[in-house]
Amino acid sequence: MVSLERPVVWVGSSRRDLRGFPREVRRNIGQALYAAQQGETDPSAKPLRGFGGGSVVEIVADHEGDTWRTVYTVGYAEAIYVLHAFQKKSKRGIATPPKDIDLIHRRLGDVERLRKEAQN
C-alpha cells in the first residue's frame, strides 16, 4: 500500500515555538498533525474562525491549566503548512488574540509567495 502522507512545512518560527511547549502538549499536537497528514481531522482540531471555511485549522491542547494552540492550513494539496504555535495567555474569553490572527494572516501570505516562487 502506498502512503499518501503530505509533508509538514513549518512557516516562520512555528517549529521553534512548538519545541518550547511541554512534552505532553507536543505529543498531542504531533498526533493531530499526523492525522492531518493522513487526510483526517483529530478531535482536538477545529476550523479557525475568520478564515472562511475549514482550510485553516487550530489544534487546542490544554495542559495544567494552560492552553496551547497550533494553527495550520490544509488548503494546499502538496503539504500541511504550520503557520503558528503559541500559548494562549488571555484569561478573557476563548477568542484568538488579534496579534496572533494578524501573524497567521501574514504567514498565509508567506505560504502563497513560497508556492509562487516554487512554480517559477
Side-chain angles (χ1 to χ4, degrees):
M1 187 165 148
V2 177
S3 173
L4 299 176
E5 184 176 298
R6 293 193 281 176
V8 172
V9 177
W10 302 90
V11 182
S13 64
S14 59
R15 187 176 202 168
R16 183 180 61 239
D17 297 339
L18 181 67
R19 286 182 172 160
F21 290 8
R23 174 183 236 142
E24 184 177 326
V25 172
R26 289 193 318 262
R27 188 176 309 121
N28 292 341
I29 289 170
Q31 289 173 344
L33 288 174
Y34 182 72
Q37 286 181 279
Q38 303 298 313
E40 301 170 3
T41 303
D42 189 85
S44 66
K46 62 182 182 188
L48 183 60
R49 288 179 152 202
F51 286 86
S55 67
V56 176
V57 181
E58 175 180 51
I59 303 165
V60 178
D62 293 320
H63 179 68
E64 296 183 359
D66 292 322
T67 301
W68 306 83
R69 296 183 179 188
T70 299
V71 178
Y72 65 93
T73 183
V74 292
Y76 306 105
E78 72 277 3
I80 303 295
Y81 292 91
V82 180
L83 304 170
H84 190 29
F86 62 102
Q87 179 182 7
K88 182 165 182 309
K89 296 184 179 182
S90 172
K91 300 300 178 190
R92 296 185 333 219
I94 60 171
T96 303
K99 70 176 183 67
D100 292 305
I101 294 292
D102 291 344
L103 180 60
I104 293 164
H105 277 292
R106 281 196 312 273
R107 288 186 176 168
L108 269 172
D110 292 344
V111 168
E112 279 297 319
R113 281 188 292 284
L114 287 170
R115 294 180 75 243
K116 284 181 183 174
E117 289 172 7
Q119 290 174 351
N120 292 334

